[in-house]
Amino acid sequence: MANEPRQPTPESRPLLERRKELRALDSALNALRDTVDGVPQAPRGGLVAFTGPGGMGKTALLTEARARARAQGFTVLSGRGGDKEQELAFHVVRQVVQPSLASMDEQELRTFLGGWYDIVAAALGLVAAPSGHVPDPTGVRDGLDWVMTRLAVMKSPVVLLLDDLHWADVESLTWLASFAPRAVDLSLLIVAAFRPELPLEAAAFSTPSADLGNRPFTLAPLSATAVARIVRDEVGEEAEDAFCEECWEATGGSPFEAVELSIRLGERNLRGTSEDLPAMRDLAAAVKGPGLVERLQGLGTTTVRFAYAAAVLGQAISPELAARIAAVGSAAAAEATEKLRAARILADGEGPGGSLEFLHPLIATTIYRSIGPSLREGMHNSAAEAVRAAGLGCAAAARHLLEVPCEGSTEAVACLREAAREALHSGAPEAARRLLNRALQEPPQPEERAALLHELACATFLIKPTATVAHLREALAEPGIDPELRASMVYRLTQALAHTDRMAEAATVAADEARRAGAHPRIRLRMQADQFVWSAFRTDEADSSGRSRALARLADRLVGRGLEERYILGLRAWDAMMRGEPRQKALTYAEEALRGGLSWIHENRGFEVPVSVALVFMYCDQPRRAEELFAKGMAECESKGWRGSHLALGQTLSGYIRYRRGCLAEAENLVREGLGIADRVEGAVPAQWFAIGILIQTLLARGRVVAARRLADKYHYGDVIPNAVIYPDPRTVSAELLLAEGRPEDAVPLLSGVGEWLEGRDWRNPAWCPWQLGLARALSRSAPDRAVRHAQDAVKRARDFGAASAIGQALHAEAEVTGGEAGLDLHAQAVDHLQRSPAAYELARALVGHGAALARVGRLHDAADRLYQGLESAVHCGAEGLAARARRELSAAGLRPLPLRYAQTDTLTAQERKAAEMTAGCHTPAVVAKELHLTEEGVRQLLSSVYRKIGTDAAGLAEALETFPRPRP
């Protein structure tokens, strides 16, 4: 069935010299069918594209595609770009989707769109006054992907016709180009037509992939023979060859001009003889350009004004609106319409209520360009007023205001601002920027200027943060700004400065504003929180210790009564963790910050603090709690359409948590997803830094050193160090890669520099940055005494912090550089601590390291036990390199690897659950061992499995067990 707006239907004529294009179209349509000649086949979608200058018959091919698709019972959706509608965001998208949704009421729409309703409703034009959170463009495009995919499945097979794609609005074009490759996996055929000047955003159509099809078919002018056929079909077979040749030369082989010329020849009853040549040349000139304008002028002043008004309106011309703009009565408008129909300038259109269309875009362009500048501006001004009066909305009116000189009109400013708000809620910040820039030029009333500049800054934030900085600095210089509005401006300014790697400026701006806001305690506290945020995340902070002391004093006076206080407490938790204060202190502050809630989607707060609070739990050996907070926060972001840098960072850091737990394959997948999102989101450079570093660490843990180096080189990782604090620290990660490549001499200066930087900030927690462990490894041969001192100091710092994973990892490093009998004892301690943590990969490393050390001193029985455990753990973690090392150590000791004893699972056994519950109830290992008929070592191994599976240490065990699924009986 067909499901599309009505299209202007030209007379049915055979398509001459388009056999190749029609064969491709038929082939693509056949591929959509589930059977061919009764033989079942898997339907396959794709893309067929036609390109060429105006008048080459692209629309005629799409008309034929529509007819053939309908004949086979396919659903047809369609959209068309318009020369005058390019400023209307998602104009083409709405043409494509709205007809399928037109019969649904709001409740049905909400059911159909589900969780995507609030994200895409504005872009689809389904809500008159958008409200709530502003989605980012990536989220809107993802939502449109979902909507179009669902329509393609529900209405399969579907043919999507896209005409005049070169005139599509940039928002529609960007989405269509990104969605087009999906057609091959759906029963969806996209048939597109465009002129060669297609924008860069539509590269998928001009150079489609091999999966989608060949390059576009470039339509050639018709031959003299084809033009002669068109002419003779109108004037008769007796038309002379010389006359037909002249017709071909006059039209240049353009199908549009040839058809129009032949119709006029028939209307004049010309027979195609040499005597008819002068008349033919006059008629050919009247088809386009000055001749067309001259022909229009001959239809009378009223008709000319009506045609001008129609050209100003663009597509889907309302006769009533055109009459109002042209300032003619309804009777005169009806007469003008009939004259323009008869002259083949206008035709019935696709819209409701008897709308009109220009017969061809070339005609519309010619007439529009013939309007004098002053008259054209006046008609656009009248159009803006008429459109608003007709209730068609500010967005439709604003596109006319963009063509009108600035006059200081308060009504124009209000209309442009409302249209910009609609554009922002549609996920079209660039459209909003254009509208607000125009409103600023009008200009607005002095008392509105600051607010308008703030709106402009919000519109440019995702697409040009440097412009945001300039707009906000200008806004803040305005007098008499409302304190709440000023606070929002300052926050957005600090965000923009931070996103452009100007962390010091961001911290300074917040500090200055905190001093300024003395009369407003809540705003002052909010500005102090922002100052602490940006100071904590700048690499060149001059007095980190002083800032930490001030933060601690402030936090100790707060109880978390409001969001501002909770942000301060959250920052204190993060700072305590970074400084290596006892982990219980960091956890206490984190819990206080969460009491009352820390939303990730507060538009004037940012999500840096909620993310940091969640990660405190990860570094404190409670990664499951961190994952729960991340899942909740990311769901918040996705529900509001924030699927750009927010989602990229969320996916990436979720992967980091999985890496810290030792789930390396899952970690790699999550981080790759995060990096993929960051790569396609403008302005997501910080998210890229996080993703690349975490992915390199994960690849190294998996033993894929070459892949890690390729990734680092691809992104030039480590060449430039950002001014923002990134974790894992880029220089430390680069050094780990160098060590894995056997280049310790190159790693030493990098790690030494990191150490000096962290010491200057009093950031002493090896759980956050284990630079000393890497430096100990790098110095183990060239300076063994220094290596041991660094490892011992790291152990002390880890013990001061108190996380078992950090202590075990540091002890393992000390054992490796110490050696001998003392080293064996350190290895045993490392394993013991790591068994009490959820860090499965680090435990596997420690087990293999201990087993290898035992084998070297001939204690093969003990070595075999450690190596078998280490091999098993390494395999379950996805650490192929470590597993290979364990096998080599076993082989070197004359031992043979045993089959794995259990499959990887995150479900607790009944015995593990019992051990966990007793331990959470403060029973000693001896009591647990007696109850379960195990040795104490067996209990420790059982609990180690519990900590790995649940994702916590003993301190968080009781709370985690409350929500962790029980084993099935």
Side-chain angles (χ1 to χ4, degrees):
M1 61 173 285
N3 190 355
E4 57 167 339
R6 186 161 51 90
Q7 299 285 343
T9 307
E11 298 90 337
S12 177
R13 294 174 179 274
L15 295 179
L16 302 177
E17 300 184 340
R18 296 292 183 252
R19 288 187 297 274
K20 179 176 63 175
E21 291 81 0
L22 292 173
R23 280 199 301 270
L25 186 59
D26 281 338
S27 176
L29 290 170
N30 285 334
L32 282 182
R33 298 165 59 190
D34 53 14
T35 61
V36 175
D37 296 329
V39 179
Q41 68 169 14
R44 178 181 173 84
L47 169 69
V48 177
F50 306 115
T51 186
M56 282 294 112
K58 300 181 292 295
T59 298
L61 278 165
L62 263 64
T63 300
E64 184 64 23
R66 180 182 297 107
R68 296 188 182 197
R70 284 175 170 173
Q72 297 189 48
F74 296 168
T75 300
V76 178
L77 306 177
S78 65
R80 181 156 57 107
D83 190 16
K84 300 298 173 292
E85 286 78 18
Q86 289 175 285
E87 297 296 336
L88 294 173
F90 296 109
H91 178 64
V92 174
V93 166
R94 293 175 183 184
Q95 293 179 57
V96 169
V97 176
Q98 279 186 349
S100 298
L101 310 179
S103 62
M104 300 182 189
D105 59 26
E106 183 179 349
Q107 187 55 50
E108 289 172 321
L109 285 170
R110 286 187 176 276
T111 301
F112 176 80
L113 296 174
W116 290 106
Y117 181 90
D118 291 328
I119 299 171
V120 300
L124 294 176
L126 303 178
V127 290
S131 59
H133 289 275
V134 174
D136 65 38
T138 305
V140 172
R141 287 195 292 269
D142 288 348
L144 294 176
D145 284 352
W146 185 90
V147 172
M148 192 63 206
T149 299
R150 186 164 188 204
L151 286 176
V153 171
M154 289 177 59
K155 299 176 178 295
S156 172
V158 174
V159 176
L160 173 57
L161 306 176
L162 300 171
D163 202 2
D164 288 333
L165 208 54
H166 52 281
W167 281 331
D169 60 278
V170 69
E171 290 79 16
S172 294
L173 201 54
T174 301
W175 170 67
L176 286 166
S178 68
F179 179 79
R182 297 192 177 200
V184 73
D185 298 318
L186 299 167
S187 188
L188 170 65
L189 173 64
I190 300 175
V191 186
F194 48 85
R195 294 183 187 175
E197 58 268 22
L198 196 64
L200 290 175
E201 289 85 357
F205 294 103
S206 56
T207 55
S209 66
D211 284 342
L212 280 174
N214 300 319
R215 294 176 63 87
F217 292 94
T218 300
L219 303 184
L222 298 178
S223 67
T225 302
V227 172
R229 182 69 271 155
I230 292 171
V231 170
R232 288 181 171 128
D233 283 345
E234 283 293 336
V235 305
E237 293 298 328
E238 65 272 19
E240 296 174 359
D241 290 344
F243 180 87
C244 293
E245 185 81 13
E246 288 281 346
C247 291
W248 174 66
E249 291 183 3
T251 60
S254 164
F256 164 70
E257 293 183 34
V259 169
E260 289 299 305
L261 174 59
S262 68
I263 290 172
R264 283 164 177 74
L265 292 172
E267 290 172 346
R268 292 281 296 274
N269 294 316
L270 300 180
R271 301 178 61 83
T273 64
S274 57
E275 289 80 8
D276 295 331
L277 284 175
M280 181 275 291
R281 294 188 184 104
D282 290 341
L283 292 172
V287 170
K288 62 177 183 177
L292 172 61
V293 174
E294 185 178 342
R295 181 160 58 93
L296 175 63
Q297 299 290 345
L299 299 178
T301 303
T302 299
T303 303
V304 170
R305 287 186 64 85
F306 189 86
Y308 285 173
V312 164
L313 285 173
Q315 290 182 347
I317 303 154
S318 161
E320 293 78 13
L321 281 179
R324 186 168 179 178
I325 296 165
V328 300
S330 57
E335 183 182 351
T337 299
E338 289 310 311
K339 286 184 179 181
L340 292 167
R341 277 199 184 102
R344 296 183 57 80
I345 291 175
L346 289 181
D348 289 336
E350 61 183 56
S355 66
L356 302 169
E357 292 274 4
F358 281 96
L359 189 71
H360 196 279
L362 288 173
I363 297 174
T365 301
T366 299
I367 292 175
Y368 183 80
R369 291 176 179 173
S370 72
I371 309 172
S374 297
L375 178 58
R376 184 166 63 238
E377 291 165 359
M379 294 189 110
H380 274 296
N381 196 42
S382 297
E385 294 175 1
V387 165
R388 274 184 287 176
L392 298 180
C394 286
R399 73 105 169 163
H400 293 288
L401 291 175
L402 292 174
E403 307 294 336
V404 174
C406 301
E407 298 176 346
S409 165
T410 56
E411 292 82 3
V413 171
C415 179
L416 289 162
R417 289 177 71 180
E418 179 60 26
R421 192 172 77 88
E422 291 179 26
L424 268 183
H425 281 82
S426 297
E430 177 57 33
R433 183 195 65 79
R434 293 193 300 269
L435 293 163
L436 290 167
N437 263 327
R438 174 62 181 77
L440 196 61
Q441 294 163 8
E442 187 66 14
Q445 295 296 311
E447 62 272 18
E448 293 182 285
R449 183 174 171 80
L452 200 157
L453 282 165
H454 179 231
E455 293 165 14
L456 179 56
C458 292
T460 59
F461 181 72
L462 288 175
I463 54 179
K464 197 174 182 182
T466 52
T468 295
V469 171
H471 296 318
L472 288 171
R473 289 199 186 280
E474 187 178 352
L476 289 167
E478 293 289 321
I481 305 174
D482 175 77
E484 288 291 340
L485 176 60
R486 185 178 180 88
S488 295
M489 290 178 179
V490 171
Y491 167 71
R492 185 66 72 186
L493 175 57
T494 59
Q495 255 201 333
L497 289 167
H499 281 229
T500 52
D501 210 22
R502 297 153 70 179
M503 306 295 293
E505 286 184 69
T508 300
V509 166
D512 291 344
E513 196 63 24
R515 287 188 289 271
R516 180 190 180 98
H520 303 277
R522 187 176 58 80
I523 293 176
R524 183 178 70 248
L525 191 62
R526 174 179 166 185
M527 292 299 107
Q528 287 176 313
D530 286 348
Q531 176 193 353
F532 286 131
V533 167
W534 305 125
S535 296
F537 289 104
R538 55 180 284 205
T539 58
D540 59 347
E541 186 181 17
D543 186 12
S544 178
S545 298
R547 190 254 312 154
S548 290
R549 289 191 296 271
L551 176 60
R553 288 193 298 270
L554 180 58
D556 288 342
R557 301 200 301 269
L558 305 177
V559 295
R561 282 172 295 197
L563 192 58
E564 289 81 9
E565 290 193 7
R566 294 199 294 275
Y567 265 63
I568 295 289
L569 293 169
L571 286 166
R572 178 68 180 103
W574 179 258
D575 193 61
M577 185 278 299
M578 295 289 282
R579 289 168 59 80
E581 297 179 38
R583 76 184 187 115
Q584 191 52 51
K585 180 181 288 188
L587 286 170
T588 299
Y589 281 117
E591 293 289 4
E592 289 177 355
L594 290 171
R595 198 172 295 119
L598 276 182
S599 173
W600 285 35
I601 59 172
H602 198 296
E603 291 187 1
N604 286 323
R605 291 298 192 280
F607 74 153
E608 292 83 2
V609 173
V611 166
S612 299
V613 170
L615 290 176
V616 165
F617 290 96
M618 178 190 77
Y619 290 114
C620 291
D621 276 356
Q622 294 184 17
R624 179 180 177 82
R625 183 74 188 285
E627 287 179 331
E628 290 170 347
L629 292 169
F630 261 78
K632 180 181 177 183
M634 288 170 65
E636 281 187 304
C637 291
E638 292 193 63
S639 71
K640 300 304 178 186
W642 293 1
R643 299 174 61 85
S645 56
H646 290 80
L647 183 59
L649 194 60
Q651 289 281 88
T652 294
L653 292 178
S654 294
Y656 194 33
I657 300 171
R658 302 304 287 174
Y659 162 78
R660 302 274 301 199
R661 289 186 65 173
C663 306
L664 301 183
E666 293 176 51
E668 182 179 346
N669 290 336
L670 283 167
V671 180
R672 286 194 186 278
E673 287 179 21
L675 181 56
I677 296 169
D679 282 345
R680 65 187 177 97
V681 175
E682 190 172 359
V685 175
Q688 281 184 322
W689 276 94
F690 281 95
I692 298 162
I694 296 167
L695 186 52
I696 289 173
Q697 279 196 326
T698 305
L699 291 170
L700 292 177
R702 304 200 72 182
R704 301 174 184 178
V705 179
V706 174
R709 171 53 66 191
R710 279 200 302 266
L711 179 69
D713 291 346
K714 175 183 177 181
Y715 288 93
H716 306 286
Y717 185 77
D719 292 355
V720 177
I721 303 300
N723 292 318
V725 173
I726 304 292
Y727 40 91
D729 172 66
R731 287 178 293 177
T732 304
V733 173
S734 297
E736 290 177 9
L737 178 54
L738 291 169
L739 287 170
E741 294 173 325
R743 298 163 59 187
E745 66 284 353
D746 294 327
V748 169
L750 276 177
L751 292 166
S752 298
V754 172
E756 291 174 9
W757 168 57
L758 292 176
E759 289 298 311
R761 302 198 64 158
D762 282 343
W763 286 358
R764 303 171 58 82
N765 192 348
W768 184 79
C769 181
W771 66 275
Q772 286 179 299
L773 309 186
L775 187 55
R777 287 173 57 202
L779 294 170
S780 60
R781 294 192 177 183
S782 60
D785 292 341
R786 281 181 62 200
V788 171
R789 286 197 299 273
H790 277 296
Q792 289 173 338
D793 191 41
V795 171
K796 179 183 181 306
R797 296 180 180 195
R799 291 187 188 279
D800 289 343
F801 179 55
S805 63
I807 299 170
Q809 191 176 357
L811 284 167
H812 180 211
E814 185 184 0
E816 294 284 351
V817 298
T818 299
E821 198 63 35
L824 286 175
D825 181 58
L826 291 168
H827 273 299
Q829 292 182 50
V831 170
D832 179 59
H833 278 86
L834 286 165
Q835 282 181 327
R836 289 182 259 161
S837 84
Y841 169 65
E842 291 300 333
L843 174 59
R845 285 185 65 231
L847 287 166
V848 173
H850 192 196
L854 289 167
R856 283 194 292 272
V857 297
R859 294 170 57 180
L860 297 185
H861 179 75
D862 295 335
D865 184 57
R866 288 303 201 207
L867 288 171
Y868 288 141
Q869 289 182 55
L871 172 59
E872 198 163 47
S873 297
V875 170
H876 290 155
C877 287
E880 297 99 332
L882 182 61
R885 182 194 168 194
R887 292 188 181 96
R888 289 195 301 271
E889 296 287 355
L890 284 166
S891 178
L895 301 167
R896 188 174 60 186
L898 297 174
L900 298 184
R901 289 171 293 181
Y902 62 88
Q904 176 74 337
T905 175
D906 286 333
T907 304
L908 293 182
T909 65
Q911 194 175 44
E912 287 171 342
R913 180 84 192 194
K914 181 68 174 177
E917 289 173 344
M918 292 185 70
T919 302
C922 300
H923 293 286
T924 65
V927 173
V928 178
K930 183 176 180 181
E931 175 70 19
L932 299 180
H933 307 292
L934 295 170
T935 64
E936 290 190 31
E937 175 60 26
V939 170
R940 280 192 288 273
Q941 291 187 19
L942 205 63
L943 289 173
S944 177
S945 178
V946 168
Y947 299 143
R948 173 186 64 79
K949 291 179 179 181
I950 293 184
T952 186
D953 62 357
L957 193 55
E959 182 178 353
L961 283 172
E962 292 178 6
T963 56
F964 198 81
R966 289 183 171 274
R968 281 188 258 181

